[in-house]
Amino acid sequence: MKLRGKFYLIAVLSLAGLGALSSARPQTPRAKPNIVLLIADQLRQCSMSYAGNAQIITPHLDRLAQQGTRIMNCVSNLTLCTPYRAMLMTGRYSHTLGIFKNHAWLPIEEQSLAEALREHGYACGYLGKWHLAGEEKFDFIPPGPLRQGWDEFWAAYNFGDTHSAQKYLLGDSPVVRVMPGHSADGFTDYALQFIDTHKDRPFVLVVAWAPPHNPYLDVPDSWKSMYSPSEIVLRPNFAREQAEFQQKIAGYYALTTNLDWNVGRILARLDSLGLADDTIVVFTSDHGDMLGSQGHEFKQRPWHESTHVPLIIRYPGVVLAGRETDLLFNTPDFMPTLFGLAGIPIPPTVDGADLSAFLRAAGKRVYLQSPALPERRPVHSTLGRGGYEAFYIRTRGFWALAFV
């Protein structure tokens, strides 16, 4: 797959030249590092260049992967937007929260990641898709308990993804706005604004982009032209209509390449402000997408394309750079692991495991078989198909046990 479009090559070169991390030497991290959590929607791990996909163009994510640790067994515990986001926000499993389907409310009595960090002086900003506030797409979520601590900066919507003319709400205003241009670009503009405003105090920022979630072809032509559908190589387990899905996957890749460009913009801003060495950067996704593999589409399936998501964690001088690990990482592990890296006490309500010690480990690889890991760390998930729910557990031995 060849790169089309001079503008992107120029952008890659200019962003890459804005600064270099001092990750080659161990450092003493700041007492309260910033946390930037970048979340794609429906981006599967096998579509990442660093995971072996030779077709996708993601130079900034490739650079981030080399500057941090890439976790190859990050599993979405429930491959659906609302349950995943509830687990991410609280560090608790979906069965603990009682949230198994979309359009649920996250109970206000649950302590969120932002509420816990706010107690330690963090400014908390949330941008993009929320999907924790019931069945209304664009209802106003007022400042206070319903925002679960994300009150410092809020530019978000509940759900209802489009990648152009995306509706959202800003700050304390109940007026629904329309994002000009491509939604990922617009929310990244807000991210840069937040970083500029809060550069002198510890902050946590979530950027929850909608791409590359369908509609796959809702992507600007400048990005779409980088991929020719007829050149898309399908996975060996693909079992759907070839031409139709080549077109969809070309759009999916184009949306992902645009996300990569926006990741580069955020990394460049951290570099230019001298914040990169004092910031934990995480890139991940809520779940994957079958995209015709095994004859299926979208998510809520037990196969790799749906369950395995990208995860890169960069924290210079603390998290080893250039490492690949097959450590099993569950969705509820995000909150306690980030708190462990930041030196923040972990709330007692959290179900997940603090895996920061493994990220700090000196070896190039941390194996799933490490004797320091618990003997069993199951991954719970659900598979909703045709009106019934199937539950399965994925263990270190990679056996799936289904209960229907």
Side-chain angles (χ1 to χ4, degrees):
M1 181 67 63
K2 59 184 179 180
L3 177 64
R4 298 180 176 88
K6 294 181 180 179
F7 76 98
Y8 189 55
L9 182 58
I10 293 170
V12 169
L13 294 175
S14 61
L15 287 172
L18 276 176
L21 294 169
S22 54
S23 57
R25 66 183 187 277
Q27 311 168 27
T28 301
R30 72 192 263 180
K32 294 179 181 178
N34 306 312
I35 300 171
V36 175
L37 182 53
L38 307 175
I39 309 170
D41 195 334
Q42 209 159 291
L43 177 59
R44 58 190 191 175
Q45 184 197 83
C46 60
S47 289
M48 302 302 296
S49 173
Y50 76 80
N53 188 312
Q55 302 177 84
I56 195 79
I57 304 165
T58 53
H60 301 295
L61 286 167
D62 292 346
R63 177 167 67 98
L64 184 66
Q66 286 303 313
Q67 294 172 343
T69 288
R70 50 198 184 273
I71 297 174
M72 305 305 289
N73 273 317
C74 181
V75 179
S76 176
N77 292 78
L78 207 161
T79 57
L80 202 59
C81 291
T82 297
Y84 172 89
R85 291 161 202 272
M87 288 186 283
L88 184 75
M89 285 295 128
T90 63
R92 309 188 79 191
Y93 284 103
S94 57
H95 63 269
T96 305
L97 295 166
I99 297 176
F100 300 99
K101 296 182 180 180
N102 275 340
H103 315 322
W105 285 87
L106 180 60
I108 60 174
E109 61 269 19
E110 296 290 343
Q111 185 175 32
S112 76
L113 182 149
E115 288 168 332
L117 288 174
R118 190 174 58 184
E119 294 176 359
H120 294 275
Y122 278 75
C124 305
Y126 194 96
L127 310 173
K129 185 175 181 177
W130 178 242
H131 216 167
L132 292 169
E135 297 183 354
E136 296 300 324
K137 294 181 178 181
F138 307 112
D139 266 10
F140 177 55
I141 302 171
L146 292 178
R147 288 191 186 177
Q148 306 284 345
W150 301 100
D151 284 332
E152 188 80 20
F153 195 95
W154 177 268
Y157 62 100
N158 193 30
F159 70 100
D161 302 324
T162 59
H163 306 318
S164 57
Q166 175 65 62
K167 296 179 180 179
Y168 71 104
L169 294 106
L170 178 65
D172 298 347
S173 172
V175 177
V176 176
R177 298 170 177 245
V178 177
M179 184 75 72
H182 188 60
S183 68
D185 300 347
F187 284 118
T188 303
D189 290 342
Y190 280 126
L192 302 183
Q193 177 184 332
F194 177 87
I195 293 169
D196 288 344
T197 303
H198 298 88
K199 63 182 183 296
D200 296 323
R201 61 176 290 195
F203 64 79
V204 55
L205 171 65
V206 171
V207 187
W209 292 298
H213 193 290
N214 52 298
Y216 308 115
L217 303 184
D218 186 6
V219 54
D221 289 340
S222 56
W223 300 100
K224 190 183 299 183
S225 65
M226 297 174 71
Y227 296 92
S228 170
S230 64
E231 297 177 16
I232 296 296
V233 178
L234 301 169
R235 285 176 63 78
N237 61 3
F238 180 84
R240 290 289 290 267
E241 303 79 8
Q242 179 170 329
E244 175 189 348
F245 275 83
Q246 283 180 311
Q247 184 179 39
K248 289 180 178 180
I249 294 171
Y252 184 89
Y253 286 174
L255 289 166
T256 303
T257 299
N258 170 266
L259 277 191
D260 175 80
W261 178 68
N262 281 301
V263 169
R265 295 172 65 202
I266 292 171
L267 298 179
R269 186 58 56 90
L270 294 172
D271 286 343
S272 66
L273 294 174
L275 297 177
D277 286 344
D278 294 323
T279 302
I280 303 169
V281 176
V282 178
F283 179 82
T284 191
S285 179
D286 57 352
H287 50 73
D289 192 331
M290 295 303 296
L291 285 170
S293 288
Q294 307 289 353
H296 290 272
E297 194 171 9
F298 308 129
K299 58 265 189 182
Q300 292 181 276
R301 300 296 184 266
W303 292 289
H304 186 284
E305 291 86 356
S306 174
T307 61
H308 275 62
V309 294
L311 176 55
I312 305 169
I313 301 178
R314 186 187 82 177
Y315 188 13
V318 179
V319 173
L320 193 66
R323 174 171 59 186
E324 179 178 292
T325 170
D326 57 3
L327 182 70
L328 184 60
F329 199 101
N330 295 327
T331 306
D333 297 338
F334 277 97
M335 183 172 170
T337 299
L338 289 173
F339 281 34
L341 289 173
I344 301 295
I346 298 168
T349 54
V350 165
D351 293 332
D354 173 10
L355 300 178
S356 61
F358 298 99
L359 298 175
R360 296 173 188 268
K364 277 287 180 182
R365 290 181 63 85
V366 176
Y367 288 97
L368 202 66
Q369 293 80 12
S370 168
L373 281 171
E375 184 59 29
R376 290 187 179 89
R377 292 195 60 249
V379 175
H380 306 268
S381 191
T382 65
L383 171 64
R385 299 185 60 189
Y388 67 85
E389 296 285 334
F391 299 82
Y392 65 92
I393 298 173
R394 188 164 188 173
T395 69
R396 197 186 306 173
F398 297 99
W399 292 97
L401 307 177
F403 303 89
V404 180

